[in-house]
Amino acid sequence: MNSFETPRVPAGPTGAVGPVDSSRIPRYAGPATFARLPRLDEVDSADVAVVGVPFDTGVSYRPGARFGGNAIREASRLLRPYNPAQDASPFALAQVADAGDIAANPFNINEAVETIEAAADELLGSGARMMTLGGDHTIALPLLRSVAKKHGPVALLHFDAHLDTWDTYFGAEYTHGTPFRRAVEEGILDTSALSHVGTRGPLYGKQDLTDDEKLGFGIVTSADVYRRGADEVADQLRQRIGDRPLYISIDIDCLDPAHAPGTGTPEAGGMTSRELLEILRGLASCNLVSADVVEVAPAYDHAEITAVAASHTAYELTTIMSRQIAASRTA
């Protein structure tokens, strides 16, 4: 190896190009791709594309999630190739690559939504599943539009402190509080398999819950998770989803501010990072077709607490997708 070559973890049985070998190049050295994986242009094709969307024009309170994707990438330097919780080496089972960022217009939400959808169409059209790093929750709508073009209406698990099914803010249809109402209206969600997880805190009125129920959502509050435990909650969600194509959208504010201070609209009384990760691991048998982790705002973070939680969340989701891809090849 010459001084310009990048030593990587040996390829698995699939021949996938793995992450940089951290026993030979210190974790803090070199470009911060997700988990130190190769860029998309360094591999022939990707089974899972990790892509950032640095967009936060749709926020209603504290901005800064446009910097979330790169904060998650920096925190992900510490991730390792073997996931003992799922007994899998995700980067050996499938080719995972960092696809860089989707550059969306920060001054025009409608145009940004169109740009994100077109870029997602291109990535999904290449055969990859998407692991998206936000950005604010507005981006979930164009991502769901694109996924639905490929799979039809999808089941949705929405981890969030908030419902995100409000109608408008200041007359605007596209904000981080409205994506899932729009998605139901557009027919891109399977309304027999929709759930919020981790919701809590004050609402504008009881009608918010009534409207949300009419859209088809079930609710598992953060208090439900605390009282019933991660295993029981995961079992309930699996039963609701069945074998439908599943999209998981995770607003990091589903976690308590003690575990995720770096976010735009924090609410007290949230889940722990352990509870979130355990619920996700309990969903490993679901047909996860793509996912996102959004609303990481590093300006409000401390010691990368939020970014570390988000990077591990994305790692668990990526592991689920990689395992399923490998299983489909041997079926």
Side-chain angles (χ1 to χ4, degrees):
M1 184 188 78
N2 64 45
S3 59
F4 297 101
E5 292 177 330
T6 302
R8 295 192 177 274
V9 173
T14 63
V17 180
V20 174
D21 186 345
S22 295
S23 69
R24 303 177 68 182
I25 300 291
R27 298 181 186 283
Y28 45 80
T33 57
F34 181 77
R36 310 188 81 196
L37 286 160
R39 301 188 313 269
L40 186 58
D41 61 2
E42 295 178 305
V43 298
D44 294 333
S45 62
D47 299 306
V48 180
V50 182
V51 60
V53 184
F55 175 86
D56 65 2
T57 307
V59 300
S60 58
Y61 193 49
R62 301 194 303 199
R66 66 184 63 184
F67 302 109
N70 283 337
I72 296 170
R73 288 183 173 110
E74 283 288 345
S76 75
R77 288 177 180 272
L78 196 57
L79 295 174
R80 299 173 182 87
Y82 174 65
N83 183 339
Q86 296 196 49
D87 188 22
S89 297
F91 310 135
L93 293 174
Q95 182 62 70
V96 186
D98 193 314
D101 289 338
I102 298 171
N105 188 335
F107 302 109
N108 187 318
I109 293 181
N110 287 11
E111 181 184 323
V113 166
E114 293 175 359
T115 300
I116 296 164
E117 182 180 349
D121 288 347
E122 184 175 350
L123 283 171
L124 293 174
S126 72
R129 304 187 195 196
M130 291 180 62
M131 179 65 252
T132 305
L133 311 177
D136 76 53
H137 227 150
T138 311
I139 71 172
L141 177 62
L143 297 174
L144 284 166
R145 285 175 176 172
S146 186
V147 169
K149 291 175 190 175
K150 183 171 184 178
H151 298 281
V154 294
L156 172 71
L157 288 183
H158 169 224
F159 290 77
D160 202 319
H162 311 97
L163 300 174
D164 288 2
T165 53
W166 287 281
D167 192 8
T168 63
Y169 281 102
F170 297 91
E173 291 184 312
Y174 301 138
T175 77
H176 75 159
T178 66
F180 303 115
R181 178 182 287 258
R182 298 287 91 82
V184 171
E185 291 171 346
E186 294 177 16
I188 57 179
L189 296 181
D190 183 339
T191 54
S192 67
L194 307 179
S195 288
H196 304 295
V197 184
T199 55
R200 62 193 187 276
L203 298 169
Y204 296 106
K206 191 170 183 178
Q207 189 64 36
D208 293 344
L209 295 172
T210 302
D211 292 345
D212 189 78
E213 185 178 7
K214 289 178 180 177
L215 293 171
F217 281 90
I219 294 179
V220 179
T221 68
S222 60
D224 292 331
V225 175
Y226 169 71
R227 292 191 177 98
R228 294 163 50 196
D231 290 345
E232 184 179 327
V233 168
D235 182 61
Q236 174 191 339
L237 296 174
R238 285 196 307 271
Q239 291 182 38
R240 187 173 179 90
I241 296 158
D243 59 359
R244 300 170 178 86
L246 170 65
Y247 188 96
I248 294 180
S249 185
I250 299 182
D251 185 328
I252 204 63
D253 73 20
C254 70
L255 301 181
D256 189 88
H259 297 264
T263 191
T265 48
E267 304 279 357
M271 294 190 294
T272 67
S273 54
R274 178 176 58 247
E275 288 170 333
L276 173 60
L277 296 177
E278 284 301 317
I279 291 171
L280 293 178
R281 292 162 183 158
L283 301 172
S285 62
C286 295
N287 180 20
L288 181 61
V289 295
S290 283
D292 66 56
V293 179
V294 300
E295 300 283 354
V296 173
Y300 314 109
D301 208 1
H302 306 287
E304 293 186 298
I305 293 172
T306 312
V308 167
S311 71
H312 280 262
T313 299
Y315 180 62
E316 294 298 333
L317 293 165
T318 302
T319 301
I320 293 171
M321 287 189 270
S322 294
R323 289 178 62 191
Q324 292 174 355
I325 290 164
S328 70
R329 287 172 174 155
T330 59

